[in-house]
Structures are given as structure tokens and as C-alpha cells.
């Protein structure tokens, strides 16, 4: 037994020493690799990556068979290929940088807001939102309502028409009424006021979103991926109500369910916990909405 322990000790002594810095590097690199894989899997980059794998297999095949001309062409095309990849992946890279910049740990340091204190919505606003949502759902009026939390939506507001009106069910229903000038696009809600209407939202590139969902739902997921906002969606085809938050779509069955979601959002601080998202699955698609 003593000989065995001595051998084990001698083997362990051959292993490189692992310091606290090494462990920290392992954790950071593992986290980055995970994030990159999730990003690739949930965007069009996954399809492009499969194309790159095919090219890589072809290069290995050419190397095994010593096809020197093909290898020479591939070697000289490498520089051009890197530039081409940056051009092809430009939308995905831009969205990844937007998501990185929208995290609260950077927002606290690099704050470009006007310094005004964030105003939370009250119970009256929640009741008006719930009433308007299910009135529109009953008659199948499509709607898209984005509620600002910690991350500023001023850039999105600039794409629409300024309203600056108190949140009421009558105003929301009139905005989204068919064949009215303001019905197309999203409204932005800050605190207890509707700040803008007919706003354009970024569309999500997530491949996990059901193909049955339309542009309205994809836009709701898109804005929830790059901000900490909550978006209420009313389907024009079915009248079903869905809430988008942190890239996740959740089906809402009744008014009480929507009221609970909004009340919970009102009470909690708008802090994004990145590590908790990993365990919960950041971009899973919750419940099937439509």
C-alpha cells in the first residue's frame, strides 16, 4: 500500500502546478467558449459555420492526397477569406456587441443617458395595460408594446413618432386600431407614459423561435435580447397574448397572468444576472406562443 501511494505521489508530482490564476483563466475561457457556441447556435452563423466545416474537410482531403495546387490556392485565399467572414458575419457581430454593451455592469460605467432617474410604472398603468391588451386580444387587433426598464430605449424612440401621453387603455387601443396612422410598429412605454409610437424594433436572428411566429413576435424577442425591456405582443391572427423578456417568449393565458408578470417586473430591480441565465438557458423559447 505504501508503494502504491508513493507511485501515485510520484505521478502527481509530474503534473504541472495549477495556481489560482490558472483556475481563473479556465473559468473565463470556458465561459467565453460557452457564450460563443450559444451565439453561433442561435443565429445564422450556425448555418455559415457548417459551410466552413465543409471547406475545412475539403482542405484536409486535399492535404492527404497532396493536391498541391488546391492547397496553394487555399493558402493564398486565407487573407481574403478572413475579410469575407467579417463582412458575412457583420450583422451577427454587431448584435453581439450590442448585447455586450447593454449589460448593466458596463452600463453603470459607460452611461450615456441624460441622467434622469428611471421612473417605474404604477398599479394604475399595469391595470390599463392589462385592460388594453385583452380588449385588443378579444377583437384580434395586433399590438406591440415595449416597456422600458433599466436600459434606455431612446434610440428606438427616435425611429417612431413622439406621443408623450399618459398610459390609458383607450389611447393604446386607438393607437393600434386598424387603418390608423400609428397602428404599424411598436409603442415605447417609460414609467407611466407612452413616449413614442410606430417605432421599429431589431429583429431576432435566433433559430430557436418557432416558424409559426411572425415578424411581430420576432421583433419582440429581438428588442428583449439587446435590452432588459418587457414587451407585450398581441397576435393579429389568433388574438393570443405573449410576453417577451430576456430573449424568451412566454404565453399568457389570462389577465391575471399578465398582471402578475408586470407586477413582478415593477417590484424587482432591472439587474441582468448573466450567470443565472446560463443555468436557466438564456435563449430557450419558453412556451409556444402561437
Amino acid at each position: 500500500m505504501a508503494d502504491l501511494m508513493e507511485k501515485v505521489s510520484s505521478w502527481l508530482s509530474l503534473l504541472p502546478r495549477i495556481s489560482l490564476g490558472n483556475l481563473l483563466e479556465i473559468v473565463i475561457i470556458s465561459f467565453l467558449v460557452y457564450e460563443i457556441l450559444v451565439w453561433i447556435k442561435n443565429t445564422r452563423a450556425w448555418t455559415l459555420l457548417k459551410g466552413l466545416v465543409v471547406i475545412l474537410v475539403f482542405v484536409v482531403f486535399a492535404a492527404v492526397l497532396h493536391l498541391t495546387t488546391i492547397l496553394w490556392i487555399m493558402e493564398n485565399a486565407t487573407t481574403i477569406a478572413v475579410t469575407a467572414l467579417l463582412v458575412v458575419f457583420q450583422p451577427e457581430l454587431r448584435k453581439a456587441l450590442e448585447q455586450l454593451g447593454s449589460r448593466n455592469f458596463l452600463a453603470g460605467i459607460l452611461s450615456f443617458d441624460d441622467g434622469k432617474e428611471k421612473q417605474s410604472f404604477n398599479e394604475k398603468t399595469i391595470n390599463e395595460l392589462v385592460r388594453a391588451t385583452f380588449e385588443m386580444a378579444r377583437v384580434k387587433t395586433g399590438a406591440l408594446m415595449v416597456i422600458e426598464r433599466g436600459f434606455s430605449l431612446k434610440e428606438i424612440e427616435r425611429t417612431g413618432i413622439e406621443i408623450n401621453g399618459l398610459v390609458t387603455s383607450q389611447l393604446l387601443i386607438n393607437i393600434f386600431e386598424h387603418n390608423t396612422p400609428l397602428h404599424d410598429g411598436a409603442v415605447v412605454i417609460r414609467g407611466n407614459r407612452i413616449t413614442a409610437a410606430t417605432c421599429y424594433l431589431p429583429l431576432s436572428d435566433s433559430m430557436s423561435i418557432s416558424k409559426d411566429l411572425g415578424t411581430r413576435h420576432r421583433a419582440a424577442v429581438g428588442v428583449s435580447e439587446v435590452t432588459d425591456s418587457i414587451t407585450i405582443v398581441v397576435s393579429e391572427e389568433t388574438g393570443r397574448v405573449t410576453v417577451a423578456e430576456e430573449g424568451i417568449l412566454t404565453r399568457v393565458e389570462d389577465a391575471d397572468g399578465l398582471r402578475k408578470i408586470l407586477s413582478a417586473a415593477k417590484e424587482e430591480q432591472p439587474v441582468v444576472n448573466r450567470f443565472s441565465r446560463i443555468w436557466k438557458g438564456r435563449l430557450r423559447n419558453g412556451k409556444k406562443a402561437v
Side-chain angles (χ1 to χ4, degrees):
M1 186 65 180
D3 293 339
L4 179 61
M5 293 300 296
E6 186 178 349
K7 288 181 180 180
V8 171
S9 300
S10 63
W11 291 337
L12 292 176
S13 65
L14 297 176
L15 296 176
R17 294 183 180 276
I18 300 178
S19 64
L20 183 61
N22 298 137
L23 292 175
L24 182 60
E25 288 179 330
I26 292 172
V27 171
I28 293 173
I29 292 173
S30 300
F31 175 76
L32 292 176
V33 170
Y34 173 84
E35 286 295 306
I36 291 171
L37 290 176
V38 169
W39 173 70
I40 290 174
K41 183 65 174 68
N42 290 282
T43 65
R44 290 174 297 178
W46 179 246
T47 304
L48 297 174
L49 182 64
K50 290 189 287 187
L52 293 177
V53 170
V54 172
I55 294 175
L56 182 61
V57 171
F58 176 74
V59 171
V60 172
F61 178 76
V64 171
L65 297 181
H66 302 289
L67 305 178
T68 55
T69 303
I70 293 178
L71 291 175
W72 179 85
I73 294 173
M74 297 300 295
E75 182 179 351
N76 286 274
T78 302
T79 304
I80 301 174
V82 171
T83 305
L85 285 176
L86 291 176
V87 174
V88 171
F89 282 99
Q90 185 269 337
E92 285 77 14
L93 291 172
R94 179 175 178 175
K95 176 164 286 189
L97 291 174
E98 287 177 349
Q99 291 174 339
L100 180 62
S102 69
R103 303 304 168 213
N104 284 350
F105 71 90
L106 285 180
I109 301 173
L110 305 174
S111 178
F112 298 99
D113 291 339
D114 55 7
K116 295 181 179 179
E117 185 179 353
K118 297 293 182 181
Q119 179 187 5
S120 179
F121 46 90
N122 57 28
E123 288 296 329
K124 183 178 184 299
T125 296
I126 292 176
N127 292 332
E128 294 293 332
L129 282 169
V130 172
R131 185 181 299 115
T133 298
F134 283 92
E135 280 292 323
M136 291 186 285
R138 184 173 58 83
V139 295
K140 295 184 180 180
T141 299
L144 193 56
M145 296 169 280
V146 186
I147 303 171
E148 182 185 273
R149 299 178 71 200
F151 187 84
S152 175
L153 299 179
K154 289 186 180 296
E155 287 297 324
I156 292 176
E157 287 177 31
R158 293 190 183 101
T159 66
I161 299 173
E162 184 179 359
I163 300 294
N164 195 25
L166 193 66
V167 175
T168 63
S169 57
Q170 295 89 344
L171 178 56
L172 287 169
I173 291 171
N174 285 334
I175 287 174
F176 289 109
E177 186 65 34
H178 293 290
N179 301 321
T180 57
L182 301 178
H183 84 282
D184 194 19
V187 299
V188 175
I189 298 172
R190 177 181 298 113
N192 300 309
R193 305 191 73 81
I194 301 172
T195 60
T198 69
C199 298
Y200 294 102
L201 303 181
L203 297 181
S204 173
D205 290 325
S206 174
M207 303 299 290
S208 63
I209 299 177
S210 172
K211 301 300 181 183
D212 296 332
L213 303 181
T215 305
R216 188 176 283 113
H217 291 83
R218 190 168 285 275
V221 174
V223 71
S224 72
E225 287 175 343
V226 298
T227 71
D228 61 352
S229 61
I230 296 178
T231 304
I232 303 172
V233 188
V234 180
S235 172
E236 190 172 359
E237 289 75 22
T238 64
R240 292 175 180 173
V241 178
T242 312
V243 172
E245 184 178 7
E246 296 187 1
I248 301 173
L249 280 174
T250 304
R251 170 82 179 278
V252 180
E253 299 292 343
D254 52 31
D256 289 336
L258 180 58
R259 186 174 288 106
K260 288 179 181 177
I261 293 174
L262 295 178
S263 297
K266 173 180 174 293
E267 295 299 328
E268 68 184 13
Q269 294 293 328
V271 175
V272 180
N273 189 331
R274 191 61 171 166
F275 289 98
S276 66
R277 277 187 179 186
I278 295 176
W279 297 107
K280 293 179 181 178
R282 177 170 58 89
L283 294 177
R284 68 177 183 275
N285 216 22
K287 302 174 183 178
K288 190 175 181 181
V290 175

